[in-house]
Amino acid sequence: MAEKRKRHDHETNGRPSKRSATERLPADNVKVSIIPDENEWVPVVASTPGLSFPPDLTLKAYTKPRRPYTSSTGKSPVTTSEHLLHTSAHPRIDYTGREEEGGGTDGLLSHYIGVYDPHSGDLQLMRARKLVLRGSPRLNPTEVETEAKAANDLAARSALGLTFGTKKSKRAIQNMTKNAISPSKKKIPADDGSQPSLDPVAAAVISSMAMAAPTVTSREDLQAAIDENKPRPNPNLDAEAPMDVYPIDQLVGPGILRQLAVKDWQDAVEQKEEILTKSRFVSHRIQRVVAEGDVRKIKTMRYLLLLIEWHNLLTPGSKNRGLKIPDRAQLREQLGKWGSELVDSVSRRFAPDDYKTLNKWHLDNLITHICALCVTVEPENFLTDIYDIREDLKLDNKDVKKYFKEIGCRVVAPTEKERAKWGLAKAEAASHEVAKLRLPLEFPKMRVVRQPKRRR
C-alpha cells in the first residue's frame, strides 16, 4: 500500500487551504435597493449610554405626531411621527427610549439598516429610528401610599383640632407644628465620663454639621458652577492666544461652515462692487475681511449675518414672556435665500424645545454668540467697535457692554490712535466704545451682598 505523501508549505504556492469569505461573492457588483418607509413602524437603532439593559425585558412601543416638523427630506411616517419605548417589567427601574434630536448637523442625520444577501448580491436598505434608552428608579407604590396617607391623616386631625378643639389642645397642636423635633431631656454620656451638655437631637445636628463641613461649596467652586451654566459660548480658559479662546469650529461648527457659500462676496470685492447687507456691522467690514483671503473667516462673517437677521425677526411675546419666534413658513419666506437647512440649524441651536418663544436665557445665549463672532471676524486684532452691532440688535449701550463683558472682553473708550484710524471726531467718539479680547480673560464676578451694620 502506497504511503500518502505530506504536502509541504512551499508546494501550496502560498495560497491558504480555506477560501476566504470574499471569494464566495457571486459578482463584483452589489445591487442596492431602498425600501420606502410607508409605514410608521420601522426598525429601531437604540443606544444605552452608561446603562446595562437586561436582555430579557420586553419594551412596549408608542407613537405620537412629531411637533414641530423639522425634517428637510420630505414628509413620511418616520419624519412626521415620534416613537417611544417603555417597560416597567424590572422590579426597580423604568426604562424609556426616546428620539433625542441633537443640535448642529447631527439633527440632519438619517439612520438606515441594511440586509445583504451574499448569494444574490442584493442589499436592501430601510429607514430606521435612532432612540436613546435611559433608566429611572421607580418608587415603591406601597411606601408612597403609606406616607401620603399618614401625612393626610395628621393634617386632617390638626385642622380639626384647631377648629373645634379646646385652648389646651390648640396650644399643643401649635407647639407641635412650631417644634417639629422637640429636644429630648435624655443626655448622651460623654466618652471621657464628664457631664454631657447635649441632648440626642442637638448631638445629631452637631454630628451632621461636622460630617458636612468638608463638602461645603467654597466661593470659588460656586463661581465656577455659575460660569459653567451661563448663557454664553464655552471659553477655552487654557488658551495662550485670543484666537484660541473661541475657535470658529465651536462658534459655527464644521458642518455649518461647509454649507455657507461666499463666492458672490468674493466676486463682488474682486470687481470692486459695493456689498449691501441688512447689518451695519457686516457691511462696514466685509470688504476688509474678504480682502484678507481667509475663507473660514469670510464664512464666519456670513454666519454672523444669518444670526443677526434671525434675531431681528423676533417679535415681543404676549405678557412680556420673552420674544416670539416666527413659524416655519414665515422664516422660510423671510430667510429663503439661506436655505431651510441653515435656518433650521439656527432654530435648533438657539431656540427652546417648543420653538415658540425665546426666553431670557436663550436670548442671552444668542446675543453672546453674536458678540463672540464679532470679535472673532474683526480684522483689527480681536477688538471691535460695539456701535454697529448695538445698532443692528437695537440694544442699549449698557446692555451691549454687559454682553461683551460676559464673554471676557474689556470694554474701554477708543484711544487717540483708534479714533484717528476710524476717522472719529472727539465728540463723535463719545458714543463709541471698543471691546477687546485680551488674556487673561476677565469675567463678571458673583456679587456679594453685605449685611448693613446694626446700630447699637
Side-chain angles (χ1 to χ4, degrees):
M1 183 177 180
E3 183 180 356
K4 288 187 177 181
R5 187 171 67 89
K6 183 179 180 180
R7 179 177 296 179
H8 295 282
D9 293 338
H10 63 83
E11 298 182 12
T12 59
N13 295 327
R15 294 183 180 179
S17 58
K18 294 184 179 180
R19 300 179 65 184
S20 61
T22 57
E23 296 180 4
R24 292 195 296 267
L25 293 177
D28 294 336
N29 298 328
V30 177
K31 182 180 179 182
V32 181
S33 60
I34 299 178
I35 302 177
D37 49 338
E38 300 176 352
N39 193 341
E40 61 184 10
W41 301 107
V42 297
V44 169
V45 178
S47 62
T48 57
L51 183 67
S52 178
F53 183 72
D56 56 343
L57 295 182
T58 303
L59 296 166
K60 293 183 179 180
Y62 303 90
T63 182
K64 68 174 183 178
R66 187 188 299 275
R67 296 179 182 179
Y69 172 69
T70 59
S71 175
S72 59
T73 58
K75 289 188 176 182
S76 66
V78 175
T79 57
T80 58
S81 63
E82 184 178 355
H83 275 197
L84 182 141
L85 302 178
H86 180 76
T87 179
S88 298
H90 195 277
R92 287 292 182 181
I93 301 176
D94 288 341
Y95 292 96
T96 305
R98 290 186 175 91
E99 300 183 43
E100 299 181 0
E101 294 186 358
T105 56
D106 291 342
L108 306 176
L109 295 178
S110 298
H111 296 78
Y112 289 84
I113 289 181
V115 178
Y116 176 67
D117 187 357
H119 300 286
S120 61
D122 293 337
L123 176 62
Q124 292 183 337
L125 299 178
M126 186 174 186
R127 185 77 174 268
R129 296 180 184 271
K130 177 66 170 61
L131 273 70
V132 179
L133 191 64
R134 304 186 186 275
S136 58
R138 182 173 63 252
L139 296 177
N140 191 345
T142 305
E143 297 176 357
V144 176
E145 292 177 1
T146 303
E147 294 179 359
K149 186 176 183 302
N152 293 335
D153 292 345
L154 179 60
R157 288 198 302 269
S158 299
L160 188 64
L162 290 174
T163 305
F164 302 102
T166 61
K167 291 183 178 180
K168 186 176 180 180
S169 63
K170 291 180 180 179
R171 192 180 301 112
I173 295 174
Q174 291 173 354
N175 292 336
M176 181 179 63
T177 305
K178 187 181 300 183
N179 304 316
I181 301 178
S182 59
S184 173
K185 297 184 179 297
K186 181 180 178 182
K187 302 295 183 178
I188 298 179
D191 296 336
D192 55 0
S194 60
Q195 181 65 25
S197 59
L198 297 176
D199 56 30
V201 176
V205 172
I206 296 298
S207 176
S208 63
M209 290 174 61
M211 295 174 59
T215 60
V216 173
T217 305
S218 63
R219 183 178 177 183
E220 291 76 11
D221 295 339
L222 185 59
Q223 181 67 47
I226 293 175
D227 292 341
E228 185 178 357
N229 295 304
K230 279 188 175 181
R232 68 186 182 195
N234 294 325
N236 179 16
L237 302 180
D238 299 329
E240 298 181 356
M243 63 181 300
D244 299 327
V245 178
Y246 298 107
I248 293 179
D249 288 339
Q250 174 190 345
L251 293 176
V252 183
I256 301 300
L257 283 173
R258 288 192 293 268
Q259 301 179 47
L260 293 167
V262 295
K263 187 66 167 57
D264 55 339
W265 282 359
Q266 292 173 323
D267 294 341
V269 172
E270 185 178 355
Q271 298 174 7
K272 298 182 180 180
E273 297 178 357
E274 185 180 6
I275 301 176
L276 300 178
T277 67
K278 296 182 180 180
S279 166
R280 291 172 55 95
F281 185 92
V282 176
S283 298
H284 291 167
R285 293 162 177 80
I286 187 59
Q287 297 282 348
R288 289 179 293 170
V289 173
V290 175
E292 287 184 352
D294 190 345
V295 178
R296 284 169 58 86
K297 188 172 287 190
I298 302 174
K299 291 188 175 184
T300 305
M301 180 75 81
R302 193 91 175 193
Y303 186 70
L304 172 61
L305 178 61
L306 171 60
L307 294 188
I308 294 174
E309 293 186 6
W310 192 89
H311 170 273
N312 292 339
L313 292 178
L314 304 175
T315 56
S318 59
K319 299 180 181 180
N320 296 326
R321 295 180 179 177
L323 297 179
K324 184 179 179 182
I325 304 173
D327 57 24
R328 186 179 178 84
Q330 292 176 339
L331 286 176
R332 282 187 170 181
E333 180 181 355
Q334 298 292 334
L335 304 175
K337 63 179 181 180
W338 294 96
S340 59
E341 293 185 1
L342 283 173
V343 177
D344 289 345
S345 68
V346 175
S347 301
R348 284 192 302 269
R349 184 175 185 181
F350 296 103
D353 295 336
D354 58 0
Y355 289 84
K356 294 181 180 179
T357 305
L358 213 64
N359 57 27
K360 182 66 168 58
W361 192 96
H362 290 86
L363 178 63
D364 291 347
N365 187 43
L366 171 62
I367 297 179
T368 51
H369 276 76
I370 291 177
C371 293
L373 288 169
C374 290
V375 179
T376 303
V377 302
E378 185 66 57
E380 302 265 347
N381 194 18
F382 294 92
L383 60 89
T384 184
D385 185 357
I386 66 175
Y387 179 82
D388 288 339
I389 196 63
R390 183 186 69 193
E391 296 298 316
D392 285 340
L393 302 180
K394 302 177 179 61
L395 296 174
D396 295 334
N397 190 53
K398 63 176 183 179
D399 292 333
V400 73
K401 288 171 59 177
K402 180 189 69 174
Y403 285 121
F404 274 100
K405 289 181 179 179
E406 285 293 339
I407 63 173
C409 291
R410 307 170 192 177
V411 183
V412 295
T415 62
E416 293 288 341
K417 183 179 180 180
E418 291 167 349
R419 287 198 295 109
K421 187 175 183 178
W422 297 335
L424 298 176
K426 191 171 184 179
E428 186 182 4
S431 60
H432 292 255
E433 291 184 273
V434 181
K436 300 181 179 181
L437 188 64
R438 296 290 183 264
L439 297 179
L441 301 175
E442 294 182 1
F443 297 103
K445 299 297 182 182
M446 178 179 57
R447 296 182 58 186
V448 178
V449 180
R450 299 183 180 275
Q451 295 293 338
K453 293 182 178 180
R454 295 183 180 179
R455 294 183 180 180
R456 296 183 178 179

